[in-house]
């Protein structure tokens, strides 16, 4: 019995001399926040090549959700003259204009720690300032997905006219 006590005392003295460190570590995976902003203004009702722009925006949003939704903390927003949270299935075009600057500014004020934003829009602002001159662009990367056809359509052409020579 006395030998066991002496052995434990010797073990404790050696333990104090070598001073081992005990570290406990936990790993917590925090998903990066990614904002997806979808234009739902009236111009998104326009058809290009047989498809409405809003339908394309909805399918792109669903694709983003399915492909990278597990890796990122996705937040979906719809905007026109105002901004609201949405789910990709509920995107629909409204009868309002587009204020991209105010919408992006409001979204990024709510999520000031966001490093990236995906903007799905036809890029036709009808209200507000040009977002290129805003301060929030300095700390956030904005990746835009443009919708719509950029090819100009031919206008009305008058080939022949007949008029009276006497007026």
């Amino acid at each position: 019995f006395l030998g066991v006590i002496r052995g434990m005392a010797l073990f404790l003295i050696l333990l104090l001399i070598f001073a081992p460190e005990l570290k406990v570590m936990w790993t917590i995976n925090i998903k990066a926040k990614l904002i997806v902003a979808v234009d739902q203004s009236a111009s998104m009702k326009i058809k290009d090549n047989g498809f409405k722009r809003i339908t394309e925006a909805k399918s792109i949003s669903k694709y983003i959700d399915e492909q990278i939704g597990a890796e990122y903390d996705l937040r979906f927003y719809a905007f026109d003259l105002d901004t609201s949270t949405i789910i990709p299935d509920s995107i629909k075009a409204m009868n309002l204009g587009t204020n991209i600057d105010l919408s992006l500014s409001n979204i990024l004020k709510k999520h000031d720690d966001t490093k990236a934003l995906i903007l799905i829009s036809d890029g036709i602002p009808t209200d507000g300032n040009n977002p290129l001159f805003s301060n929030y662009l300095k700390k956030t990367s904005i990746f835009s997905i443009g919708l719509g056809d950029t090819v100009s359509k031919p206008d009305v052409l008058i080939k022949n006219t007949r008029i009276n020579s006497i007026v």
Side-chain angles (χ1 to χ4, degrees):
F1 176 72
L2 191 57
V4 173
I5 293 178
R6 284 184 189 162
M8 288 181 68
L10 183 61
F11 175 73
L12 287 174
I13 289 172
L14 288 174
L15 190 66
L16 290 174
I17 289 173
F18 292 116
E21 290 184 22
L22 179 63
K23 290 185 178 179
V24 179
M25 294 175 32
W26 285 279
T27 302
I28 300 173
N29 291 331
I30 299 174
K31 295 180 180 180
K33 192 182 299 180
L34 180 62
I35 306 294
V36 180
V38 182
D39 187 351
Q40 66 174 4
S41 63
S43 63
M44 295 294 282
K45 293 179 182 178
I46 297 172
K47 282 187 176 182
D48 292 313
N49 299 326
F51 297 103
K52 284 188 179 180
R53 294 176 183 175
I54 197 69
T55 307
E56 291 180 23
K58 187 185 287 190
S59 65
I60 291 169
S61 299
K62 286 180 186 178
Y63 182 79
I64 290 170
D65 192 25
E66 292 167 1
Q67 295 298 315
I68 62 173
E71 300 171 28
Y72 293 93
D73 179 15
L74 291 177
R75 308 284 173 98
F76 287 89
Y77 285 89
F79 68 92
D80 41 37
L81 294 176
D82 197 14
T83 309
S84 59
T85 57
I86 56 161
I87 56 173
D89 288 331
S90 68
I91 298 170
K92 59 184 170 206
M94 302 295 188
N95 291 322
L96 300 171
T98 311
N99 191 339
I100 297 174
D101 181 55
L102 180 65
S103 300
L104 293 182
S105 176
N106 288 340
I107 291 169
L108 293 173
K109 281 180 188 173
K110 290 180 189 175
H111 304 285
D112 60 348
D113 59 338
T114 300
K115 300 295 183 213
L117 182 141
I118 298 174
L119 175 67
I120 303 172
S121 175
D122 59 4
I124 305 172
T126 58
D127 195 7
N129 299 325
N130 187 340
L132 292 176
F133 304 115
S134 298
N135 289 333
Y136 56 79
L137 291 176
K138 294 177 183 173
K139 62 179 182 175
T140 305
S141 297
I142 297 181
F143 301 94
S144 60
I145 298 174
L147 301 175
D149 192 0
T150 58
V151 177
S152 59
K153 308 243 186 301
D155 205 351
V156 176
L157 174 68
I158 301 173
K159 286 187 175 184
N160 295 323
T161 58
R162 295 183 183 195
I163 57 169
N164 287 335
S165 58
I166 302 173
V167 180

